[in-house]
């Protein structure tokens, strides 16, 4: 899903949507490279979402991908008033908004799945064959094609506490042209997406510091929590750590209490969000 980046204060963002990106060699005066550097600096200085969005729009315009979208969390498809307000200001229809907040799309779209499973920017070819199920996905893709979009570049942003955001730039470039743009602009897109989500988190007051939560657990409690997250039972954890099962139970009860969890399952989930359990095979 993408949202239009129309803005009267920053020029017509829909102008020349299919223009291939220029390389620095093609424009010795600076061209896209200078625009990327300046936009990145603007996002870094931004104190409001509006200012951050303007920087993202400048980046898209410089690459021939002027249609902008961002999402604060594709790991949990809940309504976000900031994103919804952005889309409405851009003039999106009720049908598009309804599709955007549809759980089937948020959970099953290949684009969002790729955001959840990787951290590198990638190209989506809207001219390619798309899954027919759920039916909302081809409908949404059709609406984007009707806008003149052919390719998207998406930068996932993996945030604290298990949230996964994204920033997407779209336009009329072919898949090959979009890949060329990504090859040139990749580090700028990565940085821009992370800096913008920093602005979002600051404005929405999300994620208070977890330093105290991390310091509450002892190394042994953290070991027990991590092995429990791997699916091991008390007796197995005890054998792996050279402890008694009752001692493991004592440590896990402490973990539940210190993290303010309702039970061990809840404690494992909280531990994963705090970066305490590592990768779970």
């Amino acid at each position: 899903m993408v949202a239009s980046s129309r803005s009267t204060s920053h020029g017509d963002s829909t102008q020349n949507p299919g223009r291939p990106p220029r390389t620095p060699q093609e424009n010795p005066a600076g061209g896209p490279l200078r625009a990327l550097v300046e936009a990145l600096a603007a996002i870094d200085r931004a104190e409001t979402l509006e200012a951050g969005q303007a920087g993202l729009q400048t980046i898209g315009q410089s690459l021939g991908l002027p249609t902008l979208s961002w999402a604060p969390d594709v790991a949990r498809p809940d309504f976000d008033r900031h994103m919804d307000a952005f889309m409405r200001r851009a003039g999106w229809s009720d049908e598009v908004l309804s599709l955007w907040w549809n759980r089937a799309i948020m959970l099953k779209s290949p684009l969002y799945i790729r955001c959840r499973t990787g951290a590198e920017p990638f190209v989506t070819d809207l001219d390619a064959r798309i899954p027919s199920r759920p039916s909302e996905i081809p409908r949404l893709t059709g609406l984007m094609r009707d806008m003149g979009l052919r390719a998207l570049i998406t930068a996932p942003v993996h945030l604290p506490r298990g949230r996964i955001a994204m920033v997407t730039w779209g336009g009329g470039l072919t898949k090959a042209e979009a890949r060329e743009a990504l090859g040139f602009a990749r580090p700028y897109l990565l940085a821009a997406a992370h800096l913008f989500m920093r602005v979002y988190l600051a404005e929405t007051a999300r994620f208070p510091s977890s330093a105290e939560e991390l310091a509450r657990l002892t190394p042994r409690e953290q070991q027990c929590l991590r092995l429990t997250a791997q699916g091991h039972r008390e007796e197995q954890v005890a054998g792996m750590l050279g402890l008694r099962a009752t001692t493991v139970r004592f440590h896990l009860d402490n973990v539940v209490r210190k993290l303010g969890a309702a039970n061990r399952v809840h404690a494992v989930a909280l531990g994963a969000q705090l970066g305490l359990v590592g990768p779970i095979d």
Side-chain angles (χ1 to χ4, degrees):
M1 166 56 58
V2 292
S4 173
S5 59
R6 287 171 289 190
S7 171
T8 57
S9 61
H10 298 277
D12 181 3
S13 62
T14 60
Q15 190 176 14
N16 296 328
R19 188 187 187 286
R22 295 173 295 181
T23 65
Q25 291 76 17
E26 292 173 334
N27 191 340
L33 179 59
R34 180 175 180 179
L36 289 172
V37 172
E38 292 178 349
L40 196 59
I43 299 171
D44 192 25
R45 295 191 304 267
E47 297 182 355
T48 65
L49 283 176
E50 288 73 16
Q53 286 166 173
L56 294 179
Q57 290 166 353
T58 299
I59 288 174
Q61 292 162 9
S62 71
L63 297 175
L65 296 164
T67 306
L68 172 68
S69 173
W70 59 269
D73 192 5
V74 298
R76 185 178 64 178
D78 290 344
F79 178 83
D80 182 88
R81 64 182 180 86
H82 301 281
M83 180 62 193
D84 189 72
F86 169 76
M87 295 178 70
R88 291 185 182 279
R89 286 196 303 271
W92 285 93
S93 67
D94 290 340
E95 180 181 10
V96 172
L97 293 173
S98 176
L99 288 170
W100 169 258
W101 299 118
N102 183 286
R103 284 182 175 272
I105 289 179
M106 293 291 280
L107 292 175
K108 297 182 180 180
S109 165
L111 187 149
Y112 304 128
I113 291 173
R114 193 165 179 179
C115 285
R116 290 193 290 267
T117 57
E120 289 291 317
F122 59 89
V123 171
T124 298
D125 180 12
L126 295 179
D127 290 333
R129 182 179 178 182
I130 59 173
S132 59
R133 292 288 184 273
S135 60
E136 293 87 353
I137 293 179
R139 175 58 182 158
L140 182 58
T141 303
L143 290 172
M144 289 191 286
R145 288 172 177 165
D146 290 344
M147 295 169 54
L149 303 180
R150 299 184 64 188
L152 314 172
I153 293 180
T154 300
V157 184
H158 289 244
L159 298 170
R161 297 180 182 267
R163 293 187 61 169
I164 302 167
M166 72 163 200
V167 176
T168 293
W169 294 267
L173 303 184
T174 64
K175 178 181 179 181
E177 291 168 343
R179 284 184 170 177
E180 180 184 355
L182 177 57
F184 161 60
R186 175 183 169 277
Y188 303 98
L189 301 184
L190 271 171
H194 279 266
L195 289 173
F196 175 74
M197 292 315 304
R198 184 187 66 180
V199 177
Y200 171 84
L201 295 178
E203 184 156 317
T204 58
R206 301 295 182 97
F207 305 148
S209 174
S210 61
E212 291 184 4
E213 294 170 295
L214 293 172
R216 288 174 186 169
L217 301 189
T218 66
R220 185 65 82 186
E221 289 166 351
Q222 186 175 353
Q223 283 182 314
C224 291
L225 175 65
R226 184 172 64 251
L227 292 173
T228 299
Q230 298 290 341
H232 300 295
R233 297 188 299 273
E234 279 182 6
E235 294 78 7
Q236 293 172 312
V237 173
M240 297 169 75
L241 297 179
L243 303 173
R244 294 182 178 181
T246 54
T247 304
V248 171
R249 186 177 308 120
F250 171 78
H251 288 314
L252 291 174
D253 288 344
N254 281 342
V255 170
V256 171
R257 176 178 55 80
K258 290 181 178 181
L259 295 183
N263 49 47
R264 290 185 187 179
V265 173
H266 190 199
V268 166
L270 291 173
Q273 289 193 339
L274 293 170
L276 294 172
V277 303
I280 299 175
D281 298 329

